Amino acid sequence: MNYQRISKNEWQWIESNGKHRAVRYFEQQGTLIWSAWVDRPDGPQFENGISQPIADFVQGGAPPALIVPSAVIAELRVYLAPAPPERVKHRFLPWLRR
């Protein structure tokens, strides 16, 4: 199943039945929103979205019953991982290296 990264915090893919799926990360709220829709001649028909706290995703992955490409899960895990602490540079060390 192919997917596209639409922006730095949104991924979309199409299931084999033609249903479009997406997940988007909302940093301010600390949630993922999983959405689905089907394109119809009169416009898209949306299903109810699923809001998932980041902690729930980290512990268990995508909500049950959703078919999500494993590469999307992997990218989300990397994207949501905490940044490593910044290394402190000491200004006095250069004279010690002589």
Side-chain angles (χ1 to χ4, degrees):
M1 187 177 330
N2 293 328
Y3 72 95
Q4 287 185 302
R5 190 165 185 176
I6 303 303
S7 67
K8 75 173 193 165
N9 59 351
E10 184 176 4
W11 294 259
Q12 289 185 4
W13 61 98
I14 301 174
E15 293 179 347
S16 59
N17 61 4
K19 184 182 287 188
H20 294 256
R21 294 254 182 211
V23 61
R24 186 169 187 183
Y25 171 53
F26 290 87
E27 186 174 0
Q28 296 289 350
Q29 293 82 15
T31 59
L32 295 171
I33 302 295
W34 302 85
S35 55
W37 66 95
V38 177
D39 285 333
R40 303 275 186 220
D42 56 339
Q45 179 181 4
F46 289 92
E47 294 180 3
N48 291 334
I50 300 170
S51 177
Q52 182 184 36
I54 296 303
D56 291 355
F57 174 79
V58 170
Q59 287 182 343
L66 291 185
I67 300 169
V68 182
S70 58
V72 171
I73 298 292
E75 280 193 34
L76 272 169
R77 289 194 184 284
V78 169
Y79 182 72
L80 297 172
E86 191 173 315
R87 189 172 175 192
V88 177
K89 295 182 181 181
H90 298 283
R91 297 186 189 276
F92 64 88
L93 288 180
W95 61 269
L96 287 175
R97 294 184 191 159
R98 292 182 197 182

